[in-house]
Amino acid sequence: AEALAAAEAAERVGYRRAENVARLTAGRIYYECGDLAASRSHLEKGLVLVEEMGANRFKAFHMIYLARILHAEDGTQTEAREMAGEALQISRDTGITFLGPWALSTLALVSDDPGDRQSALDEGEAIINDGCVGHNYFAFSRDAVEAALAQADWDAADVYIVSLERYNAPEPLPWCDFFMQRGAALAAHGRGQRDTELRRELSRLRDAANQMGIMRSVPSLDAALAAPSGRYWITSTFGMPPISIKMIKKKSINYIDY
């Protein structure tokens, strides 16, 4: 609500720089909430503003989220990669330490080539290690966790979670806490953990995401919770209906947990 009010107020008085920041903020919030149409509307308005002002550095900001929207839609994967690549080039041209790692992690998220994805993450991490603007530390690590989870690279996800934890430690933020805990839970699930404690944690995180309105983070949690509980089912050769192997201890039929 505050971002929308700020955008409207800035538009009324013709303060384009302030309107641009407000449009970008609204676009990012709508994206996380899962309203891609509203997000695109504000980001595209922001693009017009930065082009009018000649503020190319901020143009890349809007483009990294437009690339994510394209990636989330069917049939626009090539456009998503092109948009992310253009945002990265603008970042190189205007100062890689301002937004470069964020643009690189966006490129990793929308890339379908494992080599390109890893190359982008490696370059982004190198820039971060050399020093850059603060927002990159949080955005890059969060994106890198997502990219690792998408590739079922659970060990890499753990590494990026530790990085995010390190940046978050001096002044802990609930936003960071949520994405660290979500990443750790999904990585544990990916490794095959299926105990009651993990299921309770996944459910808690899903409830938290719904409560905070971070709807883009919900589907992966839903998918984990909908996965098999870890019990294989077998069909008895004795004419009995399908049973879980757990019943063997009670009825001479075996079961296996995985």
Side-chain angles (χ1 to χ4, degrees):
E2 290 85 355
L4 296 179
E8 292 169 1
E11 184 178 19
R12 281 197 303 272
V13 299
Y15 190 1
R16 290 182 297 180
R17 185 179 181 87
E19 183 184 353
N20 166 57
V21 174
R23 297 288 181 197
L24 174 60
T25 302
R28 290 173 57 192
I29 292 171
Y30 275 123
Y31 173 81
E32 297 290 356
C33 291
D35 191 338
L36 301 186
S39 177
R40 174 185 276 113
S41 175
H42 286 286
L43 293 169
E44 288 179 344
K45 288 178 181 178
L47 267 182
V48 172
L49 289 167
V50 295
E51 288 173 353
E52 290 175 351
M53 293 186 293
N56 280 352
R57 172 172 286 190
F58 290 98
K59 184 177 181 180
F61 243 135
H62 294 276
M63 294 180 75
I64 62 177
Y65 274 91
L66 287 169
R68 293 164 193 246
I69 292 172
L70 288 168
H71 182 64
E73 297 173 334
D74 293 332
T76 54
Q77 303 310 300
T78 299
E79 292 90 335
R81 291 190 295 273
E82 291 174 350
M83 181 76 74
E86 187 176 350
L88 176 57
Q89 187 57 54
I90 291 172
S91 295
R92 295 192 193 282
D93 294 341
T94 58
I96 196 68
T97 58
F98 177 67
L99 199 62
W102 204 340
L104 284 158
S105 63
T106 300
L107 186 60
L109 285 175
V110 304
S111 176
D112 59 0
D113 182 273
D116 291 344
R117 183 182 303 110
Q118 192 58 53
S119 177
L121 292 175
D122 289 345
E123 184 181 355
E125 192 167 20
I127 296 169
I128 281 178
N129 289 338
D130 287 341
C132 57
V133 177
H135 50 227
N136 290 288
Y137 292 88
F138 301 98
F140 175 86
S141 296
R142 181 258 179 111
D143 289 347
V145 171
E146 287 297 310
L149 292 173
Q151 292 302 302
D153 191 342
W154 318 124
D155 291 343
D158 288 344
V159 170
Y160 293 124
I161 289 168
V162 169
S163 294
L164 184 55
E165 184 176 20
R166 182 169 65 252
Y167 305 136
N168 185 51
E171 297 182 50
L173 299 172
W175 181 91
C176 290
D177 291 339
F178 171 80
F179 284 107
M180 290 187 297
Q181 293 161 6
R182 174 178 171 274
L186 290 173
H189 183 273
R191 289 188 174 100
Q193 185 177 334
R194 296 292 188 276
D195 55 74
T196 302
E197 182 179 354
L198 178 59
R199 184 170 183 82
R200 187 179 298 116
E201 174 69 354
L202 289 166
S203 182
R204 181 190 70 80
L205 290 164
R206 181 181 62 181
D207 291 346
N210 279 309
Q211 183 177 8
M212 292 185 289
I214 312 177
M215 306 311 295
R216 293 286 303 168
S217 296
V218 171
S220 57
L221 296 168
D222 280 340
L225 286 165
S229 64
R231 181 175 302 160
Y232 285 116
W233 291 83
I234 63 172
T235 300
S236 168
T237 59
F238 303 105
M240 297 170 62
I243 54 177
S244 82
I245 304 189
K246 185 175 183 180
M247 296 173 67
I248 279 211
K249 292 184 178 178
K250 295 183 177 179
K251 297 187 178 181
S252 300
I253 305 175
N254 298 306
Y255 95 118
I256 302 171
D257 278 331
Y258 67 99

